[in-house]
Amino acid sequence: MATQATAREIAVVGVIGAGQMGSGIAQLAAAAGCGVLLLDSDTAALSRAVDSISSSLRRLVAKGQLSQVSALTSQKS
């Protein structure tokens, strides 16, 4: 039986596509403390996704749902 890796065992997550689904996956991985490599051939889409993810992480910190340390660590990845 296969076992699933926990977020602590995953150092970096690569996401191809910075659309709604890709940026959502990237945000969840970042909030879990993983490093994230987000790739998209459309630089404008990539820029929008990074801005959106950063804004969402800041909102989670403001609501107390994510520690500021976790958010800062996630944004550096």
Side-chain angles (χ1 to χ4, degrees), residues 3-59:
T3 59
Q4 288 185 321
T6 65
R8 293 174 199 235
E9 296 170 327
I10 300 171
V12 178
V13 174
V15 181
I16 300 173
Q20 186 174 2
M21 186 174 183
S23 62
I25 293 167
Q27 179 180 327
L28 287 173
C34 299
V36 177
L37 297 174
L38 183 58
L39 304 171
D40 198 300
S41 61
D42 181 352
T43 56
L46 184 58
S47 180
R48 284 190 303 272
V50 170
D51 291 343
S52 175
I53 292 167
S54 296
S55 176
S56 293
L57 292 174
R58 283 192 299 273
R59 278 195 305 275

